[in-house]
Amino acid sequence: MISNKEKFLKYKPKKFLGQNFLVDDNIAKKIIRACDIKKNDSLIEIGPGHGALTKHLVKLTKNYLAVEIDHTIIEKLRLQFDNKLKIIHQDFLKLDFDSELNDIFNIKNKLKIIGNVPYNITTEILFKLFELKDKIEFAVMMIQKEVAQRITAKPNTKAYGILAIQTQLNTSPEILFNVPPTAFFPKPKVHSSVIKLEFGKEKYKLDDKTLFKKIVKESFGKRRKVMRNSLKNLFDDLNIVTNRIEFDFSRRPENVSIHEFVTLSNEISLLRKIQK
Ligand code: SAM
């Protein structure tokens, strides 16, 4: 019998596309169970690779679409699935959900997104999903363990930063389980985690998303500095802001909760409107 490893040795994985293929079927089944797929669900798989998850997913719903950037993999998958697999040759980051998906799916339900994603573009994928949050029910993704910890981090910890704030602002994230490097071929240098991001109701009401992004970015750009110093570049009238807004600007950003960042941003936005 040909082992998984021998099968993959025939194909040279492309490191620049983050190709570490899952070869442990028990882990694949555990991920699928976490997705709780129903037969009418609309499902998008990011980077199906050699089909470790795909072979299970296509049995669960007909509304399945794979998005893969590597055309050699696509040809192999088409053969493997007798040309019955819905797959597009596309960079997921450039996929236009409005125009391209409507031709493929009759989207009645919100989308479920699943993928063992390329670790080099995890953050970009996350930010794309946040932009599309109204169309998504949840995402289940295998990512680098250290990134999963940053995503779920709470204030007053080293891991808390922009990624935690943006993810928790847009979703409810949860680490489901960890996966060792031995579950992949080739073995990655890092450990992995499977996470679930629930895109439910908005938890925070932001008046000005752009302003909020800038405040968080400037604050964590110099995370050891107190916010009075970090925000100098953002506001040339910082004295007016600090005098008129009830917030202790001598705090460091890692000790400020998401709720407090949202309140700060909304109050500055209101102050700007009054000043105009
Ligand atoms: N899902 C497979 C598995 O579990 O074994 C493959 C996982 S591998 C970590 C990542 C996959 O994403 C590869 O097949 C790679 O070619 C594909 N990929 C990389 N960048 C991509 C992008 N921008 N858009 C779509 N697919 C991408």
Side-chain angles (χ1 to χ4, degrees), residues 159-214:
Y160 182 67
I162 298 174
L163 198 56
I165 293 180
Q166 286 298 347
T167 311
Q168 294 170 38
L169 185 77
N170 291 294
T171 77
S172 302
E174 186 192 352
I175 297 178
L176 299 180
F177 55 91
N178 297 323
V179 180
T182 47
F184 301 89
F185 180 80
K187 278 188 225 151
K189 290 198 177 75
V190 294
H191 281 251
S192 306
S193 298
V194 175
I195 56 156
K196 185 169 190 178
L197 307 175
E198 291 273 2
F199 292 71
K201 270 195 243 129
E202 266 191 272
K203 289 179 286 181
Y204 303 95
K205 172 91 188 72
L206 259 185
D207 296 337
D208 183 342
K209 282 187 187 156
T210 313
L211 176 66
F212 178 82
K213 258 191 200 165
K214 282 184 190 164

Short mmCIF file of all heavy atoms in Angstrom, two decimals, residues 159-214:
data_model
loop_
_atom_site.label_atom_id
_atom_site.label_comp_id
_atom_site.label_asym_id
_atom_site.label_seq_id
_atom_site.Cartn_x
_atom_site.Cartn_y
_atom_site.Cartn_z
N ALA A 159 0.30 38.74 24.30
CA ALA A 159 -0.26 38.37 22.99
C ALA A 159 -1.35 39.35 22.53
O ALA A 159 -1.72 39.37 21.35
CB ALA A 159 -0.82 36.95 23.04
N TYR A 160 -1.86 40.16 23.45
CA TYR A 160 -2.97 41.08 23.12
C TYR A 160 -2.46 42.22 22.24
O TYR A 160 -1.47 42.86 22.55
CB TYR A 160 -3.52 41.63 24.43
CG TYR A 160 -4.70 42.57 24.32
CD1 TYR A 160 -5.94 42.14 23.88
CD2 TYR A 160 -4.57 43.91 24.71
CE1 TYR A 160 -7.03 43.02 23.82
CE2 TYR A 160 -5.65 44.78 24.66
CZ TYR A 160 -6.88 44.33 24.21
OH TYR A 160 -7.94 45.18 24.15
N GLY A 161 -3.14 42.43 21.11
CA GLY A 161 -2.71 43.50 20.19
C GLY A 161 -3.75 43.70 19.10
O GLY A 161 -4.93 43.35 19.26
N ILE A 162 -3.29 44.25 17.97
CA ILE A 162 -4.20 44.60 16.87
C ILE A 162 -5.03 43.39 16.41
O ILE A 162 -6.23 43.50 16.19
CB ILE A 162 -3.41 45.18 15.68
CG1 ILE A 162 -2.70 46.47 16.11
CG2 ILE A 162 -4.32 45.46 14.48
CD1 ILE A 162 -1.76 47.06 15.07
N LEU A 163 -4.36 42.23 16.29
CA LEU A 163 -5.06 41.06 15.76
C LEU A 163 -6.19 40.61 16.71
O LEU A 163 -7.29 40.28 16.26
CB LEU A 163 -4.05 39.92 15.53
CG LEU A 163 -4.50 38.81 14.62
CD1 LEU A 163 -4.94 39.31 13.26
CD2 LEU A 163 -3.39 37.77 14.46
N ALA A 164 -5.90 40.61 18.01
CA ALA A 164 -6.93 40.23 19.00
C ALA A 164 -8.09 41.21 18.91
O ALA A 164 -9.26 40.81 18.87
CB ALA A 164 -6.33 40.25 20.41
N ILE A 165 -7.78 42.50 18.85
CA ILE A 165 -8.84 43.51 18.87
C ILE A 165 -9.69 43.43 17.61
O ILE A 165 -10.93 43.38 17.69
CB ILE A 165 -8.23 44.92 19.06
CG1 ILE A 165 -7.61 45.01 20.46
CG2 ILE A 165 -9.27 46.01 18.84
CD1 ILE A 165 -6.98 46.31 20.80
N GLN A 166 -9.06 43.36 16.44
CA GLN A 166 -9.85 43.32 15.20
C GLN A 166 -10.68 42.03 15.12
O GLN A 166 -11.81 42.04 14.65
CB GLN A 166 -8.96 43.47 13.96
CG GLN A 166 -8.44 44.90 13.75
CD GLN A 166 -9.56 45.93 13.52
OE1 GLN A 166 -10.72 45.59 13.27
NE2 GLN A 166 -9.22 47.21 13.64
N THR A 167 -10.09 40.90 15.56
CA THR A 167 -10.83 39.63 15.47
C THR A 167 -12.00 39.63 16.44
O THR A 167 -13.12 39.26 16.08
CB THR A 167 -9.91 38.43 15.76
OG1 THR A 167 -8.73 38.55 14.99
CG2 THR A 167 -10.59 37.12 15.41
N GLN A 168 -11.75 40.07 17.67
CA GLN A 168 -12.82 40.02 18.67
C GLN A 168 -13.87 41.12 18.46
O GLN A 168 -14.98 41.01 18.95
CB GLN A 168 -12.21 40.10 20.07
CG GLN A 168 -11.37 38.86 20.39
CD GLN A 168 -10.54 38.99 21.65
OE1 GLN A 168 -10.98 39.55 22.64
NE2 GLN A 168 -9.33 38.46 21.63
N LEU A 169 -13.49 42.14 17.70
CA LEU A 169 -14.46 43.17 17.34
C LEU A 169 -15.48 42.61 16.34
O LEU A 169 -16.66 42.91 16.38
CB LEU A 169 -13.71 44.34 16.70
CG LEU A 169 -14.49 45.58 16.35
CD1 LEU A 169 -14.78 46.40 17.60
CD2 LEU A 169 -13.71 46.46 15.37
N ASN A 170 -14.97 41.78 15.42
CA ASN A 170 -15.80 41.29 14.32
C ASN A 170 -16.40 39.91 14.54
O ASN A 170 -17.35 39.53 13.86
CB ASN A 170 -14.96 41.24 13.03
CG ASN A 170 -14.62 42.63 12.53
OD1 ASN A 170 -15.51 43.38 12.14
ND2 ASN A 170 -13.35 43.00 12.58
N THR A 171 -15.81 39.12 15.43
CA THR A 171 -16.24 37.73 15.60
C THR A 171 -16.10 37.30 17.07
O THR A 171 -15.49 38.01 17.86
CB THR A 171 -15.34 36.75 14.79
OG1 THR A 171 -14.09 36.57 15.47
CG2 THR A 171 -15.05 37.25 13.38
N SER A 172 -16.63 36.10 17.35
CA SER A 172 -16.32 35.47 18.65
C SER A 172 -15.38 34.32 18.34
O SER A 172 -15.80 33.30 17.78
CB SER A 172 -17.58 34.93 19.30
OG SER A 172 -18.49 35.96 19.47
N PRO A 173 -14.09 34.47 18.63
CA PRO A 173 -13.13 33.42 18.28
C PRO A 173 -12.93 32.39 19.39
O PRO A 173 -13.04 32.73 20.57
CB PRO A 173 -11.83 34.21 18.08
CG PRO A 173 -11.96 35.41 18.95
CD PRO A 173 -13.43 35.67 19.16
N GLU A 174 -12.65 31.16 18.98
CA GLU A 174 -12.43 30.08 19.96
C GLU A 174 -11.37 29.12 19.40
O GLU A 174 -11.42 28.79 18.21
CB GLU A 174 -13.78 29.34 20.11
CG GLU A 174 -13.82 28.29 21.15
CD GLU A 174 -15.08 27.41 21.02
OE1 GLU A 174 -15.98 27.72 20.21
OE2 GLU A 174 -15.12 26.38 21.71
N ILE A 175 -10.44 28.72 20.26
CA ILE A 175 -9.48 27.68 19.82
C ILE A 175 -10.12 26.33 20.11
O ILE A 175 -10.50 26.05 21.25
CB ILE A 175 -8.13 27.81 20.57
CG1 ILE A 175 -7.47 29.16 20.26
CG2 ILE A 175 -7.20 26.65 20.21
CD1 ILE A 175 -6.15 29.42 20.97
N LEU A 176 -10.27 25.50 19.06
CA LEU A 176 -10.96 24.21 19.26
C LEU A 176 -9.98 23.14 19.73
O LEU A 176 -10.25 22.43 20.68
CB LEU A 176 -11.65 23.76 17.96
CG LEU A 176 -12.72 24.71 17.41
CD1 LEU A 176 -13.32 24.15 16.13
CD2 LEU A 176 -13.82 24.95 18.43
N PHE A 177 -8.86 23.00 19.04
CA PHE A 177 -7.84 22.03 19.48
C PHE A 177 -6.52 22.32 18.76
O PHE A 177 -6.50 23.04 17.75
CB PHE A 177 -8.29 20.58 19.25
CG PHE A 177 -8.71 20.26 17.84
CD1 PHE A 177 -7.80 19.78 16.91
CD2 PHE A 177 -10.04 20.42 17.44
CE1 PHE A 177 -8.19 19.48 15.61
CE2 PHE A 177 -10.44 20.12 16.14
CZ PHE A 177 -9.52 19.66 15.22
N ASN A 178 -5.45 21.75 19.32
CA ASN A 178 -4.11 21.96 18.73
C ASN A 178 -3.71 20.76 17.88
O ASN A 178 -4.19 19.64 18.11
CB ASN A 178 -3.09 22.18 19.85
CG ASN A 178 -3.41 23.43 20.65
OD1 ASN A 178 -3.86 24.43 20.09
ND2 ASN A 178 -3.19 23.37 21.95
N VAL A 179 -2.84 21.00 16.93
CA VAL A 179 -2.41 19.94 16.00
C VAL A 179 -0.88 19.97 15.90
O VAL A 179 -0.30 21.03 15.65
CB VAL A 179 -3.05 20.16 14.60
CG1 VAL A 179 -2.62 19.07 13.64
CG2 VAL A 179 -4.57 20.23 14.69
N PRO A 180 -0.23 18.80 16.10
CA PRO A 180 1.23 18.79 16.05
C PRO A 180 1.76 18.77 14.60
O PRO A 180 1.03 18.38 13.69
CB PRO A 180 1.59 17.47 16.75
CG PRO A 180 0.42 16.59 16.49
CD PRO A 180 -0.79 17.48 16.41
N PRO A 181 3.03 19.13 14.40
CA PRO A 181 3.60 19.15 13.04
C PRO A 181 3.55 17.77 12.36
O PRO A 181 3.47 17.69 11.13
CB PRO A 181 5.07 19.56 13.27
CG PRO A 181 5.06 20.29 14.57
CD PRO A 181 3.98 19.67 15.40
N THR A 182 3.53 16.70 13.14
CA THR A 182 3.53 15.34 12.56
C THR A 182 2.25 15.03 11.76
O THR A 182 2.20 14.04 11.03
CB THR A 182 3.66 14.28 13.67
OG1 THR A 182 2.73 14.63 14.70
CG2 THR A 182 5.07 14.22 14.23
N ALA A 183 1.24 15.86 11.89
CA ALA A 183 -0.01 15.61 11.15
C ALA A 183 0.09 16.06 9.70
O ALA A 183 -0.86 15.89 8.93
CB ALA A 183 -1.17 16.33 11.84
N PHE A 184 1.23 16.68 9.31
CA PHE A 184 1.35 17.27 7.97
C PHE A 184 2.52 16.66 7.20
O PHE A 184 3.47 16.15 7.78
CB PHE A 184 1.64 18.78 8.09
CG PHE A 184 0.59 19.55 8.82
CD1 PHE A 184 0.66 19.71 10.20
CD2 PHE A 184 -0.48 20.13 8.14
CE1 PHE A 184 -0.30 20.44 10.88
CE2 PHE A 184 -1.44 20.86 8.82
CZ PHE A 184 -1.34 21.01 10.19
N PHE A 185 2.45 16.81 5.88
CA PHE A 185 3.62 16.55 5.04
C PHE A 185 3.74 17.69 4.02
O PHE A 185 2.76 17.98 3.33
CB PHE A 185 3.51 15.22 4.30
CG PHE A 185 4.73 15.00 3.46
CD1 PHE A 185 5.89 14.54 4.05
CD2 PHE A 185 4.73 15.33 2.11
CE1 PHE A 185 7.05 14.39 3.29
CE2 PHE A 185 5.89 15.19 1.36
CZ PHE A 185 7.05 14.72 1.95
N PRO A 186 4.87 18.36 3.91
CA PRO A 186 6.01 18.26 4.82
C PRO A 186 5.65 18.85 6.18
O PRO A 186 4.75 19.69 6.27
CB PRO A 186 7.07 19.10 4.12
CG PRO A 186 6.35 19.99 3.17
CD PRO A 186 5.05 19.36 2.84
N LYS A 187 6.40 18.41 7.21
CA LYS A 187 6.11 18.89 8.57
C LYS A 187 6.46 20.37 8.70
O LYS A 187 7.59 20.75 8.38
CB LYS A 187 6.97 18.12 9.58
CG LYS A 187 6.41 16.78 9.95
CD LYS A 187 7.22 16.20 11.09
CE LYS A 187 7.51 14.74 10.80
NZ LYS A 187 8.73 14.24 11.37
N PRO A 188 5.53 21.20 9.17
CA PRO A 188 5.89 22.62 9.39
C PRO A 188 6.79 22.75 10.62
O PRO A 188 6.83 21.84 11.45
CB PRO A 188 4.53 23.28 9.63
CG PRO A 188 3.65 22.18 10.12
CD PRO A 188 4.14 20.89 9.53
N LYS A 189 7.48 23.87 10.73
CA LYS A 189 8.36 24.07 11.88
C LYS A 189 7.56 24.47 13.12
O LYS A 189 8.07 24.44 14.22
CB LYS A 189 9.38 25.19 11.57
CG LYS A 189 10.41 24.77 10.53
CD LYS A 189 11.62 25.70 10.57
CE LYS A 189 12.69 25.26 9.60
NZ LYS A 189 12.33 25.56 8.22
N VAL A 190 6.30 24.85 12.91
CA VAL A 190 5.50 25.38 14.01
C VAL A 190 4.33 24.45 14.34
O VAL A 190 3.95 23.60 13.52
CB VAL A 190 4.92 26.77 13.63
CG1 VAL A 190 6.04 27.79 13.49
CG2 VAL A 190 4.11 26.68 12.34
N HIS A 191 3.77 24.61 15.53
CA HIS A 191 2.56 23.88 15.90
C HIS A 191 1.34 24.64 15.35
O HIS A 191 1.42 25.82 15.05
CB HIS A 191 2.47 23.74 17.41
CG HIS A 191 3.36 22.65 17.93
ND1 HIS A 191 2.88 21.46 18.42
CD2 HIS A 191 4.71 22.57 18.00
CE1 HIS A 191 3.89 20.69 18.78
NE2 HIS A 191 5.02 21.35 18.53
N SER A 192 0.22 23.94 15.24
CA SER A 192 -0.98 24.54 14.64
C SER A 192 -2.16 24.44 15.61
O SER A 192 -2.14 23.63 16.54
CB SER A 192 -1.34 23.80 13.36
OG SER A 192 -0.24 23.78 12.50
N SER A 193 -3.18 25.24 15.33
CA SER A 193 -4.43 25.15 16.10
C SER A 193 -5.59 25.29 15.13
O SER A 193 -5.50 26.03 14.14
CB SER A 193 -4.56 26.30 17.10
OG SER A 193 -3.55 26.26 18.06
N VAL A 194 -6.69 24.60 15.45
CA VAL A 194 -7.92 24.80 14.68
C VAL A 194 -8.77 25.80 15.46
O VAL A 194 -9.00 25.61 16.66
CB VAL A 194 -8.67 23.46 14.48
CG1 VAL A 194 -10.01 23.70 13.78
CG2 VAL A 194 -7.81 22.50 13.67
N ILE A 195 -9.19 26.84 14.75
CA ILE A 195 -10.01 27.87 15.43
C ILE A 195 -11.38 27.96 14.77
O ILE A 195 -11.55 27.59 13.61
CB ILE A 195 -9.35 29.27 15.37
CG1 ILE A 195 -9.07 29.68 13.91
CG2 ILE A 195 -8.09 29.34 16.20
CD1 ILE A 195 -8.98 31.17 13.72
N LYS A 196 -12.33 28.46 15.54
CA LYS A 196 -13.66 28.75 14.97
C LYS A 196 -13.97 30.21 15.24
O LYS A 196 -13.83 30.69 16.38
CB LYS A 196 -14.71 27.86 15.63
CG LYS A 196 -16.08 28.02 14.99
CD LYS A 196 -17.04 26.94 15.49
CE LYS A 196 -18.33 26.96 14.69
NZ LYS A 196 -19.26 25.94 15.07
N LEU A 197 -14.36 30.92 14.19
CA LEU A 197 -14.75 32.33 14.32
C LEU A 197 -16.23 32.44 14.02
O LEU A 197 -16.65 32.17 12.90
CB LEU A 197 -13.98 33.21 13.33
CG LEU A 197 -12.46 33.11 13.30
CD1 LEU A 197 -11.89 33.97 12.18
CD2 LEU A 197 -11.88 33.58 14.63
N GLU A 198 -17.02 32.77 14.99
CA GLU A 198 -18.47 32.96 14.79
C GLU A 198 -18.71 34.42 14.43
O GLU A 198 -18.33 35.31 15.18
CB GLU A 198 -19.24 32.66 16.08
CG GLU A 198 -19.25 31.21 16.49
CD GLU A 198 -20.36 30.39 15.85
OE1 GLU A 198 -21.14 30.95 15.03
OE2 GLU A 198 -20.44 29.19 16.17
N PHE A 199 -19.35 34.62 13.26
CA PHE A 199 -19.68 36.00 12.85
C PHE A 199 -21.13 36.25 13.21
O PHE A 199 -22.01 36.07 12.40
CB PHE A 199 -19.49 36.16 11.34
CG PHE A 199 -18.06 36.09 10.88
CD1 PHE A 199 -17.36 34.90 10.90
CD2 PHE A 199 -17.42 37.22 10.42
CE1 PHE A 199 -16.05 34.84 10.48
CE2 PHE A 199 -16.10 37.16 10.00
CZ PHE A 199 -15.41 35.96 10.02
N GLY A 200 -21.39 36.63 14.41
CA GLY A 200 -22.81 36.81 14.78
C GLY A 200 -23.18 38.27 14.74
O GLY A 200 -22.75 39.02 13.86
N LYS A 201 -23.98 38.64 15.71
CA LYS A 201 -24.40 40.04 15.81
C LYS A 201 -23.21 40.90 16.20
O LYS A 201 -22.29 40.44 16.88
CB LYS A 201 -25.44 40.15 16.94
CG LYS A 201 -26.84 39.96 16.43
CD LYS A 201 -27.81 40.44 17.48
CE LYS A 201 -28.67 39.31 18.00
NZ LYS A 201 -28.77 39.11 19.38
N GLU A 202 -23.25 42.18 15.79
CA GLU A 202 -22.16 43.08 16.17
C GLU A 202 -22.16 43.29 17.67
O GLU A 202 -23.20 43.59 18.26
CB GLU A 202 -22.31 44.40 15.44
CG GLU A 202 -21.49 44.38 14.18
CD GLU A 202 -21.37 45.71 13.52
OE1 GLU A 202 -22.27 46.01 12.72
OE2 GLU A 202 -20.39 46.41 13.78
N LYS A 203 -20.99 43.12 18.27
CA LYS A 203 -20.92 43.25 19.73
C LYS A 203 -20.66 44.69 20.15
O LYS A 203 -20.96 45.09 21.24
CB LYS A 203 -19.80 42.35 20.26
CG LYS A 203 -20.12 40.88 20.18
CD LYS A 203 -18.97 40.05 20.71
CE LYS A 203 -17.82 40.01 19.73
NZ LYS A 203 -16.68 39.23 20.12
N TYR A 204 -20.02 45.43 19.24
CA TYR A 204 -19.65 46.81 19.58
C TYR A 204 -20.17 47.74 18.49
O TYR A 204 -20.14 47.39 17.31
CB TYR A 204 -18.13 46.96 19.65
CG TYR A 204 -17.47 46.02 20.63
CD1 TYR A 204 -16.95 44.80 20.21
CD2 TYR A 204 -17.37 46.36 21.98
CE1 TYR A 204 -16.34 43.93 21.11
CE2 TYR A 204 -16.76 45.51 22.88
CZ TYR A 204 -16.25 44.29 22.44
OH TYR A 204 -15.64 43.44 23.32
N LYS A 205 -20.61 48.92 18.88
CA LYS A 205 -21.12 49.88 17.89
C LYS A 205 -20.04 50.94 17.67
O LYS A 205 -19.75 51.76 18.55
CB LYS A 205 -22.43 50.48 18.44
CG LYS A 205 -22.98 51.62 17.65
CD LYS A 205 -23.96 51.13 16.58
CE LYS A 205 -24.37 52.24 15.66
NZ LYS A 205 -23.37 52.70 14.71
N LEU A 206 -19.44 50.89 16.47
CA LEU A 206 -18.36 51.83 16.15
C LEU A 206 -18.88 52.95 15.27
O LEU A 206 -19.49 52.69 14.23
CB LEU A 206 -17.29 51.10 15.36
CG LEU A 206 -16.03 50.64 16.07
CD1 LEU A 206 -15.08 50.06 15.07
CD2 LEU A 206 -15.38 51.76 16.86
N ASP A 207 -18.63 54.21 15.64
CA ASP A 207 -19.11 55.33 14.82
C ASP A 207 -18.21 55.60 13.63
O ASP A 207 -18.66 56.07 12.60
CB ASP A 207 -19.23 56.59 15.68
CG ASP A 207 -20.28 56.40 16.75
OD1 ASP A 207 -21.16 55.54 16.55
OD2 ASP A 207 -20.21 57.07 17.80
N ASP A 208 -16.92 55.35 13.80
CA ASP A 208 -15.98 55.65 12.71
C ASP A 208 -14.89 54.57 12.68
O ASP A 208 -13.93 54.61 13.46
CB ASP A 208 -15.38 57.04 12.98
CG ASP A 208 -14.43 57.48 11.86
OD1 ASP A 208 -13.98 56.62 11.09
OD2 ASP A 208 -14.15 58.69 11.79
N LYS A 209 -15.09 53.59 11.77
CA LYS A 209 -14.18 52.44 11.72
C LYS A 209 -12.75 52.85 11.39
O LYS A 209 -11.79 52.28 11.90
CB LYS A 209 -14.67 51.44 10.67
CG LYS A 209 -15.81 50.61 11.17
CD LYS A 209 -16.18 49.53 10.19
CE LYS A 209 -17.45 48.86 10.67
NZ LYS A 209 -18.21 48.21 9.68
N THR A 210 -12.63 53.83 10.49
CA THR A 210 -11.28 54.24 10.06
C THR A 210 -10.53 54.87 11.23
O THR A 210 -9.36 54.55 11.47
CB THR A 210 -11.40 55.25 8.90
OG1 THR A 210 -12.32 54.73 7.97
CG2 THR A 210 -10.07 55.50 8.24
N LEU A 211 -11.22 55.72 11.98
CA LEU A 211 -10.59 56.36 13.14
C LEU A 211 -10.17 55.30 14.16
O LEU A 211 -9.06 55.32 14.70
CB LEU A 211 -11.57 57.36 13.78
CG LEU A 211 -11.07 58.04 15.05
CD1 LEU A 211 -9.88 58.95 14.75
CD2 LEU A 211 -12.18 58.85 15.71
N PHE A 212 -11.07 54.33 14.41
CA PHE A 212 -10.79 53.26 15.37
C PHE A 212 -9.52 52.50 14.96
O PHE A 212 -8.61 52.28 15.77
CB PHE A 212 -11.98 52.30 15.43
CG PHE A 212 -11.76 51.13 16.36
CD1 PHE A 212 -11.96 51.27 17.73
CD2 PHE A 212 -11.36 49.90 15.87
CE1 PHE A 212 -11.76 50.19 18.58
CE2 PHE A 212 -11.15 48.82 16.72
CZ PHE A 212 -11.36 48.97 18.08
N LYS A 213 -9.45 52.14 13.67
CA LYS A 213 -8.28 51.40 13.16
C LYS A 213 -7.00 52.19 13.40
O LYS A 213 -5.98 51.65 13.82
CB LYS A 213 -8.43 51.18 11.65
CG LYS A 213 -8.87 49.79 11.30
CD LYS A 213 -8.73 49.57 9.81
CE LYS A 213 -9.60 48.43 9.37
NZ LYS A 213 -9.81 48.36 7.95
N LYS A 214 -7.07 53.51 13.13
CA LYS A 214 -5.88 54.35 13.29
C LYS A 214 -5.45 54.43 14.75
O LYS A 214 -4.27 54.34 15.07
CB LYS A 214 -6.17 55.77 12.77
CG LYS A 214 -6.14 55.88 11.27
CD LYS A 214 -6.34 57.34 10.89
CE LYS A 214 -6.56 57.51 9.40
NZ LYS A 214 -7.13 58.81 9.07
#
